Amino acid sequence: MRILLLCSSFNGLTQRCWLELRRAGHEVSIELAVSEQAMVEAAELAKPDVVICPFLKERVPERLWRAHRTVIVHPGPPGDRGPSSLDWAILEAEPEWGVTALQAVEEMDAGPIWGYRTFAMPPEAPRKSALYNGPVADAAVELVAEVAAKAGDASFVPVPLDYRSPDVRGRLRRAMRHADREFSWEEPTEDIVRRVRAADGSPGGRAQLCEMPVRVFDVYRGPDLAGRPGEVAARREGAVLVHTGDGSVWVGHVRLEQEGAVKLPAASALGDLVAGAPERPGYSEITYDRSDGVGVVSFDFYNGAMSTDQCRRLASALRYAVAQDTRVLVVRGGEAFSNGIHLNVIEAARQPELEAWMNINAINAVCREIVRCSSQLVVTSIGGNAGAGGVMMGLGADRVIIRDSVVLNPHYRTMGLFGSELWTYVLPRRVGAETARRLTRQALPIGAADAVEIGLADRMLGGSRLDFERRVLEYAERLAADAGYERLLAGRRQVREVDERRKPLDAYRAEELAEMSRDMFEDRNGFRQARRAFVHKMRAEATPEHLAGHREMSGASMAGDDGESHM
């Protein structure tokens, strides 16, 4: 099929759809919906069999949907309509939710249905971004493949939306307003967590904190502490602990309601207002667990962004883990594995270039610990998407295991950076110099199956994230007990010694940093503007060059999720 993907941004879901459709043999082009004229012209050039919109905030122009079959992927079950579907589903604790593929017509979300999927909602309120990137994205990718198949079936007719049908259980919901996102710290913890997570990662819950209006993100239930609601009781690793009506809640990130303010770790955003709060255990982004043979360093950084401080703590945790008497070290990421340096923290710094320099050096130290470990075999567990330096960080291990739904973006070009994280060593070592050059220059995403095929990853596993992590741990336990373990470890040491004699790691690091210094301090490739556009979510004016230049059909142009890091 000739398919045009029309989207508001080339986000994680759109990337997955693009990858899956191409892998199935379809001819696929992408266009960003920057204007009605751009959308119409893209369809006229592409002459697609079907236009699919996996992530589209804008209304489809009538000229387009009347001339071309256009299918919208809506994040709600059949009959659900409106722009705040996931927000309401979380806030109202829906037990089941879904995704529907429907044909574009004049009335929004009211067209005939091409297909749908439903799934059980988690019992605990999920973050909206986690829901979107998890079960919603999984269902949407399945539906997009189904739509492509049905578009090739001349006998297929979509089913008109009929609220009398037992399958149609949704309804029209209005757009959420500011008032719907406001909360008081006097409310129960459970209510606060649900309201904030219904607005995470955008636009955030609205409240007063330290007598300042803020947007609140990234919250977790805290201990049952007595105290005045709204008062900061403690802080830990960038988060602050706030008293609620019946206990407390950890707040990981906030954005001040000020012009130009960006989302930051809560303690950084509030600064001197919480500087006197005591440190308190109970919140940690990094943990270490072990059995007899396997040690696991787990890290879960919000949206995969890694600040200077977070990188230093992770490097310290890795040094501790490497010093233990375990045989295998598992390096496990969270909802997002890693997307590299923390662009929001950099943008908000008094000296952004200096902060960027410290950040890249700190993440390099993490990569160095993984590559140089010689006392254990190292396995990286990539259960969530990764980009830029986050991909390179994972490649330093002996075994790279990836979840089947993961999308990797192993490049830096779109942020105007040469890149570091020892990528000039670890990437060619896995895929060869020619493929490494292609991946970094084309700046396109790679799906899990393709990553295994080209050697970027060693093994792909399916299942939920928890199932995936369990299976990786079982693999690590088998590796630790393998009769050939000592031979494998000796092989790792020998390869590292040979590589070090050929060219020391410090030489790769120095060469990369020489390039990065020009990108960061001289801004030779537009890092400053690219960073600003990413952090402040500036609307694209055209389909990016690296996507528009990748043409596949009739001259049609080819084309991150909410986050604070470099995708």
Side-chain angles (χ1 to χ4, degrees), residues 381-513:
S381 174
I382 304 180
N385 293 350
V391 177
M392 309 309 172
M393 184 177 78
L395 299 185
D398 299 281
R399 303 286 190 275
V400 177
I401 305 182
I402 187 170
R403 189 170 166 227
D404 60 359
S405 60
V406 162
V407 174
L408 303 178
N409 277 274
H411 55 81
Y412 304 83
R413 175 184 159 193
T414 55
M415 201 50 62
L417 294 173
F418 176 82
S420 194
E421 293 96 359
L422 301 175
W423 80 264
T424 53
Y425 171 65
V426 297
L427 185 59
R429 182 180 67 163
R430 280 196 155 265
V431 302
E434 184 177 342
T435 301
R437 191 177 303 112
R438 175 176 58 82
L439 291 175
T440 52
R441 288 182 178 177
Q442 285 187 343
L444 294 170
I446 300 290
D450 291 327
V452 172
E453 286 180 6
I454 66 173
L456 202 61
D458 296 293
R459 182 171 297 195
M460 179 179 73
L461 299 175
S464 68
R465 205 180 102 205
L466 289 178
D467 288 337
F468 169 80
E469 291 174 355
R470 176 184 53 79
R471 295 176 69 186
V472 172
L473 191 57
E474 290 171 353
Y475 171 83
E477 295 281 4
R478 291 195 301 272
L479 191 60
D482 193 294
Y485 172 83
E486 294 298 340
R487 176 180 52 81
L488 293 172
L489 185 60
R492 172 181 172 83
R493 289 171 177 161
Q494 184 178 9
V495 168
R496 183 81 282 283
E497 288 169 4
V498 170
D499 287 351
E500 188 70 13
R501 284 196 299 270
R502 184 183 299 117
K503 182 176 180 178
L505 274 184
D506 284 345
Y508 290 99
R509 174 180 172 274
E511 290 171 357
E512 291 170 1
L513 289 178

Side-chain angles (χ1 to χ4, degrees), residues 20-57:
E20 290 295 326
L21 290 171
R22 282 163 49 96
R23 192 168 177 82
H26 300 294
E27 296 179 12
V28 191
S29 64
I30 288 186
E31 190 73 24
L32 297 191
V34 296
S35 68
E36 285 196 7
Q37 188 65 24
M39 289 188 264
V40 172
E41 288 180 356
E44 290 174 348
L45 284 169
K47 298 179 174 59
D49 297 305
V50 63
V51 178
I52 302 177
C53 308
F55 171 63
L56 188 66
K57 296 179 180 179

Side-chain angles (χ1 to χ4, degrees), residues 167-457:
D167 292 335
V168 178
R169 289 170 290 187
R171 66 181 190 276
L172 174 64
R173 300 168 189 248
R174 62 173 173 81
M176 268 203 178
R177 307 185 182 107
H178 288 324
D180 298 314
R181 305 191 189 278
E182 291 175 354
F183 67 91
S184 165
W185 298 107
E186 295 179 351
E187 296 175 31
T189 299
E190 177 64 27
D191 293 353
I192 292 172
V193 168
R194 184 168 293 280
R195 191 167 298 275
V196 172
R197 289 184 176 175
D200 209 336
S202 179
R206 294 164 59 95
Q208 292 276 330
L209 189 56
C210 299
E211 299 183 351
M212 297 181 65
V214 296
R215 296 290 180 101
V216 180
F217 309 85
D218 187 24
V219 295
Y220 301 87
R221 177 182 289 276
D224 292 333
L225 293 179
R228 190 171 72 178
E231 198 169 80
V232 173
R235 61 182 197 158
R236 168 86 171 176
E237 296 183 358
V240 296
L241 184 64
V242 184
H243 289 293
T244 65
D246 63 353
S248 66
V249 63
W250 285 103
V251 175
H253 286 72
V254 302
R255 186 178 76 234
L256 304 182
E257 292 274 29
Q258 298 174 356
E259 186 175 352
V262 300
K263 190 191 306 182
L264 292 171
S268 298
L270 297 170
D272 292 342
L273 296 173
V274 298
E279 288 278 334
R280 179 189 176 96
Y283 172 92
S284 184
E285 299 171 307
I286 304 169
T287 60
Y288 177 72
D289 300 286
R290 62 163 294 171
S291 62
D292 288 341
V294 177
V296 182
V297 172
S298 300
F299 59 95
D300 194 353
F301 300 134
Y302 186 65
N303 289 326
M306 298 175 64
S307 69
T308 302
D309 180 61
Q310 289 169 320
C311 290
R312 288 171 177 167
R313 285 191 276 111
L314 181 55
S316 178
L318 288 170
R319 284 191 291 273
Y320 175 84
V322 167
Q324 305 308 303
D325 61 354
T326 48
R327 293 160 69 88
V328 174
L329 170 61
V330 176
V331 182
R332 175 198 288 165
E335 181 185 318
F337 179 76
S338 170
N339 287 314
I341 58 177
H342 203 310
L343 297 181
N344 276 31
V345 170
I346 292 169
E347 180 70 10
R350 291 183 180 179
Q351 296 179 285
E353 290 75 22
L354 180 58
E355 178 60 36
W357 183 250
M358 294 194 315
N359 201 165
I360 200 66
N361 276 276
I363 198 171
N364 278 350
V366 174
C367 299
R368 184 185 176 96
E369 292 297 329
I370 295 172
V371 172
R372 293 195 65 182
C373 174
S374 60
S375 59
Q376 304 179 44
L377 295 177
V378 183
V379 175
T380 45
S381 174
I382 304 180
N385 293 350
V391 177
M392 309 309 172
M393 184 177 78
L395 299 185
D398 299 281
R399 303 286 190 275
V400 177
I401 305 182
I402 187 170
R403 189 170 166 227
D404 60 359
S405 60
V406 162
V407 174
L408 303 178
N409 277 274
H411 55 81
Y412 304 83
R413 175 184 159 193
T414 55
M415 201 50 62
L417 294 173
F418 176 82
S420 194
E421 293 96 359
L422 301 175
W423 80 264
T424 53
Y425 171 65
V426 297
L427 185 59
R429 182 180 67 163
R430 280 196 155 265
V431 302
E434 184 177 342
T435 301
R437 191 177 303 112
R438 175 176 58 82
L439 291 175
T440 52
R441 288 182 178 177
Q442 285 187 343
L444 294 170
I446 300 290
D450 291 327
V452 172
E453 286 180 6
I454 66 173
L456 202 61

Side-chain angles (χ1 to χ4, degrees), residues 71-90:
V71 180
I72 310 291
V73 178
H74 176 75
D80 179 80
R81 298 169 59 197
S84 304
S85 295
L86 297 184
D87 314 58
W88 287 117
I90 297 168

